[in-house]
Amino acid sequence: MTATPRIGVLALQGDVREHALALAEVGAEVARVRSAADLGSVEALVIPGGESTTMSKLALSNDLMEPLREARRAGMPMYGSCAGMIMLADRVTDARPDQETIGGIDITVRRNAFGRQVDSFESDLIVAGIGADPLHAVFIRAPWVESAGPEVEVLASVVSEVGAGTIVAVRQGPLLATSFHPELTGDLRIHRMFVEIVRHSR
Amino acid sequence: MSNVPAVVGTERVKRGMAEMLKGGVIMDVVNVEQAKIAEDAGAVAVMALERVPADIRAEGGVSRMSDPDMIDAIVAAVSIPVMAKARIGHFAEAQILQSLGVDYIDESEVLSPADYANHIDKWQFTVPFVCGATNLGEALRRLTEGAAMIRSKGEAGTGDVSNAVTHMRKILGQIRSLTSMSKDELYVAAKELQAPYDLVKEVADTGRLPVVLFTAGGIATPADAALMMQLGADGVFVGSGIFKSGDPAKRAEAIVQATLHYDSPDVVAKVSRGLGEAMVGLNVADIPVHHRLEDRGW
C-alpha cells in the first residue's frame, strides 16, 4: 500500500505543533486528536512531549483514556516522546500514585529521572535502526527506562557521563518511545522510522 | 561512542521546556495546599509566590521573592514543574531560586522592581526565565537578555482581562505587520521596536516569536482563558483568579478544560456553570496610573 498514512497527534497538551510539523515533513497526513471520534479517524498516533501528570488527567477527564487503550490493544501504532513515553509505559515510578497510562510497552519508566529542569541536557546518541550517524538528542525533565521486559527492543542508551547506560529509546511491536524530543531538533529520522512502522502495520 | 558531552542550560533545553507547557495552565500558589489543588485540577505547572497579586495590590509594601522554605515545600509536594518569581533586575534572588532547583524563574513586574534600568542577564543562568511584555519590542528585548518564554503582562491582581487582551493583540499585531514589510523597512522597524535587527528579521521571516507566548494578568474565568487562547496565546497563567474565588478547586479545573477546549463554546459553557463567585475584581481604569504593574519593565 502506498496511501499516505494518516497520523494523529494527541492534542491534550504539550508540543503538538512540533510533532505535527515533523510528521508532515516526512509525508504523513496529520490530524489533531482530542476526542474518541478524532482517534477513530487516524491509523496511528503520536503522543507528544508535555507534562505527563496533566496529560494523564486530561485523558481521563475527557473520556479518552479507555478509547486510547482500546486502540492500542487493537494494534494501532503509537509513538511517544518524553511524556508520551510515560503514557505508553506499563509501569511508572516517581509519579503520583493515581497517574494512569495507556500502557502497552513492558517497561518501568522513572519520571524526571535525570533531575529537574536545571539538569535538562543535550547529547549525542546512536539509535538502532536509523543509520550510523549519531542523533543529537534533547532531554527535558526527561524520564528513563528503569527496566524492560523480554519483548522490548532497546534502541538507544545514554553514552554521556550523566546517566550513562540508561535506556532512552525502545520499541515493542508497533509501539515506539523515546525519552528525548526529536521533534525539537529537525532530525526527522525517528519520525521517518515511525511512519515505516505504520506502513508495515497495515 | 564514548566521552560524549552532555550540555545543560542550552537555549534549546530552556525554550524546549516552555514548549512542553503549551496548551496548559500555570497557577499562582502561596502554599502546599494550594499547590496540590492546582496539580489535582490539571495545572501544567505552579508558580510559587508569597502573596498573590490581588493581595500585593491590597496590602501594598515591597514584594519580594518567596521564602526558600515555602518553595522547598512546594517542590516536594507536587510532581509538576515549579516556577518562582524574582524581582526585575534582582539577579541575586534569581541565583537563590536556581540553587533551590525551581524549574523556571519569572522575572516579574508583579514584585517590586529591584533595578529601574536593567533586567537580569538571563544568559548567566542554567535555569530558564519567563518575562512579561506589553508589546513586541519589549518581548524581543527580553529575549535578547536571555528569556526563553514570554507572557503578555496584562494587569495582575485585577480579574480584569482587558490589559491581557490589549497586550496580546499588540504583540501579535506587530508580528503580523512585520511579515508584510519589505526587507529595507525592517531596519526602521527594528529601530522603532528598540530591538535587535536579527531578531526582528527572524520574526518577520517566521511570522511568530521564536519562543512560546503565554498570557497573564487578569484571567479569572473559563471564558477569559478561551478568549486569550483564541487570540493566539500558547497557554495561560492564572494568578489571583483561582484562589481568590469562591470554589478554587472547581474553578481551577474549569479553566484547565476551557484552555484545552478553547474553540468549543459548548464545552466552555458547560465548565462555566456552578463555579461560585469569581474574584471580586478591580477595573484597570480605576487604578491610578502609578499603581499599575504593566508599566514596570523597560
Side-chain angles (χ1 to χ4, degrees), chain B residues 56-114:
Chain B
I56 292 173
R57 201 175 274 293
E59 294 161 14
V62 176
S63 282
R64 310 178 177 89
M65 176 192 82
S66 298
D67 179 347
D69 283 342
M70 192 274 273
I71 292 171
D72 278 351
I74 290 175
V75 166
V78 296
S79 77
I80 54 177
V82 177
M83 300 183 166
K85 288 185 193 288
R87 283 181 264 177
I88 290 174
H90 206 316
F91 52 84
E93 282 189 350
Q95 289 162 355
I96 292 167
L97 292 174
Q98 174 165 289
S99 107
L100 293 175
V102 305
D103 296 297
Y104 237 94
I105 295 176
D106 185 358
E107 185 183 17
S108 178
E109 71 281 1
V110 169
L111 306 185
S112 307

Short mmCIF file of all heavy atoms in Angstrom, two decimals, chain B residues 56-114:
data_model
loop_
_atom_site.label_atom_id
_atom_site.label_comp_id
_atom_site.label_asym_id
_atom_site.label_seq_id
_atom_site.Cartn_x
_atom_site.Cartn_y
_atom_site.Cartn_z
N ILE B 56 -1.05 41.57 47.05
CA ILE B 56 0.04 42.54 46.92
C ILE B 56 -0.55 43.93 46.68
O ILE B 56 -0.16 44.92 47.30
CB ILE B 56 0.98 42.15 45.75
CG1 ILE B 56 1.73 40.86 46.09
CG2 ILE B 56 1.94 43.29 45.41
CD1 ILE B 56 2.54 40.29 44.95
N ARG B 57 -1.55 43.97 45.82
CA ARG B 57 -2.20 45.22 45.46
C ARG B 57 -2.93 45.80 46.69
O ARG B 57 -2.87 46.99 46.96
CB ARG B 57 -3.20 44.93 44.34
CG ARG B 57 -3.60 46.09 43.52
CD ARG B 57 -4.47 45.62 42.39
NE ARG B 57 -3.72 45.18 41.22
CZ ARG B 57 -2.99 45.99 40.45
NH1 ARG B 57 -2.87 47.25 40.73
NH2 ARG B 57 -2.37 45.51 39.40
N ALA B 58 -3.63 44.92 47.44
CA ALA B 58 -4.43 45.39 48.57
C ALA B 58 -3.56 45.81 49.74
O ALA B 58 -3.85 46.80 50.42
CB ALA B 58 -5.39 44.29 49.00
N GLU B 59 -2.49 45.05 49.99
CA GLU B 59 -1.70 45.29 51.19
C GLU B 59 -0.56 46.26 50.97
O GLU B 59 -0.03 46.84 51.93
CB GLU B 59 -1.13 43.95 51.70
CG GLU B 59 -2.22 42.99 52.19
CD GLU B 59 -1.74 41.55 52.25
OE1 GLU B 59 -0.51 41.32 52.18
OE2 GLU B 59 -2.60 40.65 52.35
N GLY B 60 -0.12 46.41 49.73
CA GLY B 60 0.98 47.32 49.45
C GLY B 60 2.30 46.81 50.02
O GLY B 60 2.45 45.63 50.33
N GLY B 61 3.27 47.69 50.18
CA GLY B 61 4.57 47.30 50.69
C GLY B 61 5.44 46.72 49.58
O GLY B 61 5.03 46.64 48.43
N VAL B 62 6.65 46.33 49.96
CA VAL B 62 7.60 45.77 48.99
C VAL B 62 7.34 44.28 48.83
O VAL B 62 7.24 43.56 49.83
CB VAL B 62 9.05 46.01 49.46
CG1 VAL B 62 10.04 45.35 48.50
CG2 VAL B 62 9.34 47.50 49.55
N SER B 63 7.23 43.83 47.60
CA SER B 63 7.03 42.41 47.34
C SER B 63 8.32 41.79 46.85
O SER B 63 8.94 42.31 45.92
CB SER B 63 5.96 42.20 46.28
OG SER B 63 4.73 42.36 46.86
N ARG B 64 8.68 40.65 47.44
CA ARG B 64 9.97 40.05 47.15
C ARG B 64 9.80 38.58 46.76
O ARG B 64 8.71 38.03 46.80
CB ARG B 64 10.86 40.13 48.38
CG ARG B 64 10.94 41.50 49.02
CD ARG B 64 11.80 41.47 50.26
NE ARG B 64 11.96 42.79 50.86
CZ ARG B 64 11.12 43.31 51.77
NH1 ARG B 64 10.09 42.61 52.20
NH2 ARG B 64 11.32 44.52 52.24
N MET B 65 10.94 37.98 46.43
CA MET B 65 11.00 36.52 46.22
C MET B 65 10.42 35.81 47.44
O MET B 65 10.48 36.32 48.56
CB MET B 65 12.48 36.14 46.07
CG MET B 65 12.76 34.68 45.93
SD MET B 65 14.54 34.36 46.09
CE MET B 65 14.70 34.34 47.88
N SER B 66 9.90 34.60 47.23
CA SER B 66 9.30 33.83 48.33
C SER B 66 10.35 33.27 49.27
O SER B 66 11.52 33.12 48.92
CB SER B 66 8.50 32.66 47.77
OG SER B 66 7.47 33.14 46.98
N ASP B 67 9.87 32.89 50.44
CA ASP B 67 10.68 32.19 51.43
C ASP B 67 11.18 30.85 50.86
O ASP B 67 10.37 30.04 50.40
CB ASP B 67 9.78 31.94 52.65
CG ASP B 67 10.48 31.20 53.77
OD1 ASP B 67 11.58 30.66 53.54
OD2 ASP B 67 9.92 31.16 54.88
N PRO B 68 12.48 30.59 50.91
CA PRO B 68 13.00 29.32 50.37
C PRO B 68 12.35 28.08 50.99
O PRO B 68 12.16 27.07 50.31
CB PRO B 68 14.50 29.37 50.71
CG PRO B 68 14.81 30.83 50.74
CD PRO B 68 13.58 31.49 51.28
N ASP B 69 11.99 28.15 52.27
CA ASP B 69 11.33 27.00 52.90
C ASP B 69 10.00 26.69 52.22
O ASP B 69 9.64 25.53 52.01
CB ASP B 69 11.04 27.28 54.39
CG ASP B 69 12.30 27.13 55.24
OD1 ASP B 69 13.27 26.49 54.76
OD2 ASP B 69 12.31 27.67 56.36
N MET B 70 9.28 27.76 51.88
CA MET B 70 7.99 27.56 51.22
C MET B 70 8.20 26.95 49.83
O MET B 70 7.48 26.03 49.44
CB MET B 70 7.28 28.92 51.12
CG MET B 70 5.83 28.83 50.72
SD MET B 70 5.67 28.78 48.94
CE MET B 70 5.63 30.53 48.59
N ILE B 71 9.21 27.44 49.12
CA ILE B 71 9.47 26.89 47.78
C ILE B 71 9.89 25.43 47.87
O ILE B 71 9.39 24.58 47.12
CB ILE B 71 10.54 27.75 47.06
CG1 ILE B 71 9.95 29.13 46.76
CG2 ILE B 71 11.01 27.06 45.77
CD1 ILE B 71 10.94 30.13 46.25
N ASP B 72 10.76 25.11 48.82
CA ASP B 72 11.17 23.71 49.02
C ASP B 72 9.96 22.82 49.28
O ASP B 72 9.85 21.72 48.74
CB ASP B 72 12.10 23.59 50.24
CG ASP B 72 13.54 23.94 49.89
OD1 ASP B 72 13.83 24.10 48.69
OD2 ASP B 72 14.35 24.06 50.82
N ALA B 73 9.06 23.31 50.13
CA ALA B 73 7.89 22.50 50.50
C ALA B 73 7.00 22.26 49.27
O ALA B 73 6.49 21.14 49.09
CB ALA B 73 7.09 23.20 51.60
N ILE B 74 6.85 23.27 48.44
CA ILE B 74 6.02 23.09 47.24
C ILE B 74 6.70 22.15 46.25
O ILE B 74 6.07 21.27 45.67
CB ILE B 74 5.68 24.47 46.61
CG1 ILE B 74 4.71 25.21 47.54
CG2 ILE B 74 5.09 24.31 45.23
CD1 ILE B 74 4.39 26.62 47.11
N VAL B 75 8.02 22.32 46.08
CA VAL B 75 8.76 21.42 45.18
C VAL B 75 8.58 19.97 45.63
O VAL B 75 8.40 19.06 44.82
CB VAL B 75 10.26 21.81 45.13
CG1 VAL B 75 11.09 20.70 44.49
CG2 VAL B 75 10.45 23.12 44.37
N ALA B 76 8.61 19.76 46.96
CA ALA B 76 8.49 18.40 47.48
C ALA B 76 7.07 17.85 47.35
O ALA B 76 6.86 16.65 47.27
CB ALA B 76 8.92 18.37 48.95
N ALA B 77 6.08 18.76 47.30
CA ALA B 77 4.68 18.32 47.38
C ALA B 77 4.06 17.94 46.04
O ALA B 77 3.09 17.20 45.99
CB ALA B 77 3.84 19.41 48.04
N VAL B 78 4.59 18.49 44.94
CA VAL B 78 3.95 18.23 43.65
C VAL B 78 4.94 17.61 42.66
O VAL B 78 6.16 17.77 42.81
CB VAL B 78 3.35 19.53 43.01
CG1 VAL B 78 2.23 20.07 43.88
CG2 VAL B 78 4.43 20.57 42.78
N SER B 79 4.38 16.92 41.66
CA SER B 79 5.26 16.30 40.66
C SER B 79 5.37 17.14 39.40
O SER B 79 6.22 16.90 38.55
CB SER B 79 4.77 14.89 40.33
OG SER B 79 3.66 14.95 39.47
N ILE B 80 4.50 18.16 39.26
CA ILE B 80 4.59 19.05 38.09
C ILE B 80 5.68 20.09 38.32
O ILE B 80 6.14 20.27 39.45
CB ILE B 80 3.23 19.73 37.82
CG1 ILE B 80 2.71 20.45 39.06
CG2 ILE B 80 2.20 18.72 37.34
CD1 ILE B 80 1.40 21.21 38.85
N PRO B 81 6.12 20.79 37.25
CA PRO B 81 7.19 21.78 37.42
C PRO B 81 6.78 22.92 38.35
O PRO B 81 5.61 23.27 38.43
CB PRO B 81 7.40 22.31 35.99
CG PRO B 81 6.85 21.27 35.09
CD PRO B 81 5.73 20.61 35.84
N VAL B 82 7.77 23.47 39.03
CA VAL B 82 7.55 24.59 39.94
C VAL B 82 8.32 25.80 39.43
O VAL B 82 9.53 25.73 39.18
CB VAL B 82 8.00 24.25 41.37
CG1 VAL B 82 7.84 25.46 42.30
CG2 VAL B 82 7.21 23.05 41.91
N MET B 83 7.61 26.90 39.27
CA MET B 83 8.22 28.17 38.89
C MET B 83 8.21 29.09 40.11
O MET B 83 7.45 28.87 41.05
CB MET B 83 7.40 28.84 37.78
CG MET B 83 7.27 28.03 36.51
SD MET B 83 6.37 28.99 35.26
CE MET B 83 6.72 28.04 33.79
N ALA B 84 9.03 30.13 40.08
CA ALA B 84 9.00 31.10 41.17
C ALA B 84 9.40 32.46 40.61
O ALA B 84 10.06 32.55 39.57
CB ALA B 84 9.94 30.68 42.29
N LYS B 85 8.98 33.51 41.31
CA LYS B 85 9.21 34.87 40.82
C LYS B 85 10.41 35.53 41.49
O LYS B 85 10.60 35.40 42.70
CB LYS B 85 7.97 35.75 41.11
CG LYS B 85 6.77 35.44 40.23
CD LYS B 85 5.65 36.43 40.51
CE LYS B 85 4.32 36.02 39.91
NZ LYS B 85 4.28 36.15 38.45
N ALA B 86 11.18 36.24 40.68
CA ALA B 86 12.24 37.11 41.18
C ALA B 86 11.89 38.54 40.77
O ALA B 86 11.19 38.76 39.79
CB ALA B 86 13.59 36.71 40.60
N ARG B 87 12.38 39.52 41.54
CA ARG B 87 12.14 40.91 41.19
C ARG B 87 12.92 41.28 39.93
O ARG B 87 14.01 40.76 39.69
CB ARG B 87 12.59 41.82 42.34
CG ARG B 87 11.61 41.84 43.50
CD ARG B 87 12.09 42.76 44.60
NE ARG B 87 12.80 42.01 45.62
CZ ARG B 87 13.39 42.57 46.68
NH1 ARG B 87 13.39 43.88 46.82
NH2 ARG B 87 13.99 41.83 47.58
N ILE B 88 12.36 42.20 39.16
CA ILE B 88 13.06 42.68 37.96
C ILE B 88 14.44 43.17 38.36
O ILE B 88 14.57 43.99 39.28
CB ILE B 88 12.25 43.79 37.26
CG1 ILE B 88 10.98 43.21 36.63
CG2 ILE B 88 13.10 44.51 36.21
CD1 ILE B 88 10.04 44.27 36.04
N GLY B 89 15.47 42.65 37.69
CA GLY B 89 16.84 43.09 37.93
C GLY B 89 17.50 42.49 39.15
O GLY B 89 18.70 42.71 39.39
N HIS B 90 16.78 41.69 39.93
CA HIS B 90 17.35 41.15 41.17
C HIS B 90 18.02 39.81 40.89
O HIS B 90 17.47 38.74 41.17
CB HIS B 90 16.28 41.02 42.24
CG HIS B 90 16.83 41.09 43.64
ND1 HIS B 90 17.97 40.42 44.03
CD2 HIS B 90 16.41 41.78 44.74
CE1 HIS B 90 18.22 40.68 45.31
NE2 HIS B 90 17.29 41.51 45.76
N PHE B 91 19.24 39.87 40.36
CA PHE B 91 19.89 38.62 39.95
C PHE B 91 20.28 37.74 41.14
O PHE B 91 20.41 36.54 41.00
CB PHE B 91 21.08 38.89 39.02
CG PHE B 91 22.07 39.89 39.54
CD1 PHE B 91 23.08 39.50 40.40
CD2 PHE B 91 22.00 41.23 39.14
CE1 PHE B 91 24.00 40.42 40.88
CE2 PHE B 91 22.92 42.16 39.61
CZ PHE B 91 23.92 41.76 40.49
N ALA B 92 20.43 38.35 42.34
CA ALA B 92 20.76 37.52 43.50
C ALA B 92 19.56 36.65 43.92
O ALA B 92 19.72 35.49 44.29
CB ALA B 92 21.23 38.38 44.67
N GLU B 93 18.35 37.23 43.84
CA GLU B 93 17.17 36.40 44.09
C GLU B 93 17.11 35.26 43.07
O GLU B 93 16.81 34.11 43.43
CB GLU B 93 15.88 37.24 43.99
CG GLU B 93 15.59 38.09 45.22
CD GLU B 93 14.21 38.75 45.21
OE1 GLU B 93 13.52 38.71 44.16
OE2 GLU B 93 13.85 39.32 46.25
N ALA B 94 17.41 35.57 41.82
CA ALA B 94 17.37 34.54 40.78
C ALA B 94 18.41 33.45 41.05
O ALA B 94 18.16 32.26 40.85
CB ALA B 94 17.60 35.17 39.40
N GLN B 95 19.59 33.86 41.53
CA GLN B 95 20.62 32.87 41.86
C GLN B 95 20.12 31.92 42.95
O GLN B 95 20.34 30.71 42.90
CB GLN B 95 21.90 33.57 42.32
CG GLN B 95 22.64 34.29 41.20
CD GLN B 95 23.64 35.33 41.71
OE1 GLN B 95 23.73 35.59 42.92
NE2 GLN B 95 24.39 35.93 40.79
N ILE B 96 19.43 32.49 43.94
CA ILE B 96 18.89 31.66 45.03
C ILE B 96 17.85 30.69 44.49
O ILE B 96 17.87 29.50 44.80
CB ILE B 96 18.28 32.55 46.14
CG1 ILE B 96 19.39 33.34 46.83
CG2 ILE B 96 17.48 31.72 47.14
CD1 ILE B 96 18.88 34.47 47.72
N LEU B 97 16.95 31.20 43.64
CA LEU B 97 15.90 30.34 43.09
C LEU B 97 16.50 29.21 42.26
O LEU B 97 16.06 28.07 42.31
CB LEU B 97 14.92 31.16 42.24
CG LEU B 97 14.06 32.16 43.02
CD1 LEU B 97 13.25 33.03 42.07
CD2 LEU B 97 13.14 31.43 44.00
N GLN B 98 17.56 29.52 41.51
CA GLN B 98 18.23 28.47 40.73
C GLN B 98 18.82 27.42 41.67
O GLN B 98 18.72 26.23 41.43
CB GLN B 98 19.32 29.06 39.84
CG GLN B 98 20.14 27.98 39.12
CD GLN B 98 20.98 28.54 37.97
OE1 GLN B 98 20.45 28.91 36.94
NE2 GLN B 98 22.28 28.59 38.17
N SER B 99 19.43 27.88 42.76
CA SER B 99 20.05 26.93 43.67
C SER B 99 19.00 26.08 44.40
O SER B 99 19.28 24.96 44.81
CB SER B 99 21.00 27.64 44.63
OG SER B 99 20.47 27.71 45.92
N LEU B 100 17.77 26.61 44.52
CA LEU B 100 16.70 25.81 45.13
C LEU B 100 16.15 24.75 44.16
O LEU B 100 15.38 23.88 44.56
CB LEU B 100 15.54 26.73 45.56
CG LEU B 100 15.82 27.71 46.70
CD1 LEU B 100 14.61 28.62 46.92
CD2 LEU B 100 16.15 26.97 47.98
N GLY B 101 16.51 24.87 42.89
CA GLY B 101 16.07 23.87 41.91
C GLY B 101 14.71 24.14 41.31
O GLY B 101 14.06 23.22 40.82
N VAL B 102 14.24 25.41 41.31
CA VAL B 102 12.98 25.68 40.61
C VAL B 102 13.19 25.44 39.11
O VAL B 102 14.31 25.50 38.60
CB VAL B 102 12.43 27.11 40.86
CG1 VAL B 102 12.28 27.39 42.34
CG2 VAL B 102 13.29 28.16 40.20
N ASP B 103 12.11 25.14 38.41
CA ASP B 103 12.21 24.75 37.00
C ASP B 103 12.17 25.94 36.05
O ASP B 103 12.59 25.83 34.90
CB ASP B 103 11.08 23.77 36.66
CG ASP B 103 11.21 22.48 37.44
OD1 ASP B 103 12.22 21.78 37.24
OD2 ASP B 103 10.33 22.18 38.27
N TYR B 104 11.63 27.06 36.50
CA TYR B 104 11.54 28.26 35.66
C TYR B 104 11.49 29.46 36.59
O TYR B 104 10.88 29.37 37.66
CB TYR B 104 10.26 28.24 34.80
CG TYR B 104 10.52 28.34 33.30
CD1 TYR B 104 10.62 27.21 32.51
CD2 TYR B 104 10.66 29.59 32.70
CE1 TYR B 104 10.87 27.30 31.15
CE2 TYR B 104 10.90 29.69 31.33
CZ TYR B 104 11.00 28.53 30.56
OH TYR B 104 11.24 28.64 29.21
N ILE B 105 12.12 30.57 36.21
CA ILE B 105 12.03 31.79 37.00
C ILE B 105 11.24 32.83 36.21
O ILE B 105 11.47 33.01 35.02
CB ILE B 105 13.43 32.35 37.34
CG1 ILE B 105 14.18 31.38 38.27
CG2 ILE B 105 13.32 33.74 38.00
CD1 ILE B 105 15.61 31.80 38.57
N ASP B 106 10.29 33.47 36.88
CA ASP B 106 9.54 34.57 36.29
C ASP B 106 10.15 35.87 36.82
O ASP B 106 10.05 36.16 38.01
CB ASP B 106 8.06 34.45 36.70
CG ASP B 106 7.18 35.51 36.04
OD1 ASP B 106 7.71 36.36 35.29
OD2 ASP B 106 5.96 35.47 36.28
N GLU B 107 10.84 36.59 35.93
CA GLU B 107 11.35 37.92 36.33
C GLU B 107 10.17 38.86 36.19
O GLU B 107 9.83 39.29 35.09
CB GLU B 107 12.51 38.33 35.42
CG GLU B 107 13.15 39.64 35.86
CD GLU B 107 14.27 40.11 34.93
OE1 GLU B 107 14.36 39.63 33.78
OE2 GLU B 107 15.06 40.97 35.36
N SER B 108 9.53 39.16 37.33
CA SER B 108 8.15 39.62 37.26
C SER B 108 7.90 41.03 37.76
O SER B 108 8.36 41.41 38.84
CB SER B 108 7.27 38.66 38.06
OG SER B 108 5.93 39.10 38.06
N GLU B 109 7.11 41.77 36.99
CA GLU B 109 6.65 43.11 37.35
C GLU B 109 5.67 43.08 38.52
O GLU B 109 5.37 44.13 39.11
CB GLU B 109 6.01 43.79 36.13
CG GLU B 109 4.64 43.23 35.69
CD GLU B 109 4.71 41.94 34.90
OE1 GLU B 109 5.83 41.43 34.69
OE2 GLU B 109 3.64 41.43 34.51
N VAL B 110 5.18 41.89 38.87
CA VAL B 110 4.24 41.77 40.00
C VAL B 110 4.96 42.05 41.32
O VAL B 110 4.38 42.59 42.26
CB VAL B 110 3.58 40.38 39.99
CG1 VAL B 110 2.82 40.13 41.28
CG2 VAL B 110 2.64 40.26 38.79
N LEU B 111 6.24 41.69 41.38
CA LEU B 111 7.04 42.03 42.56
C LEU B 111 7.59 43.45 42.40
O LEU B 111 7.62 44.00 41.30
CB LEU B 111 8.19 41.03 42.74
CG LEU B 111 7.80 39.54 42.79
CD1 LEU B 111 9.03 38.68 43.07
CD2 LEU B 111 6.72 39.28 43.83
N SER B 112 8.07 44.01 43.50
CA SER B 112 8.65 45.34 43.42
C SER B 112 9.96 45.29 42.64
O SER B 112 10.81 44.46 42.96
CB SER B 112 8.95 45.86 44.83
OG SER B 112 7.79 45.77 45.62
N PRO B 113 10.15 46.13 41.65
CA PRO B 113 11.41 46.08 40.89
C PRO B 113 12.61 46.36 41.80
O PRO B 113 12.52 47.17 42.73
CB PRO B 113 11.25 47.19 39.85
CG PRO B 113 9.78 47.41 39.74
CD PRO B 113 9.23 47.13 41.10
N ALA B 114 13.73 45.67 41.50
CA ALA B 114 14.96 45.93 42.25
C ALA B 114 15.88 46.85 41.46
O ALA B 114 16.82 47.43 42.01
CB ALA B 114 15.68 44.61 42.54
#
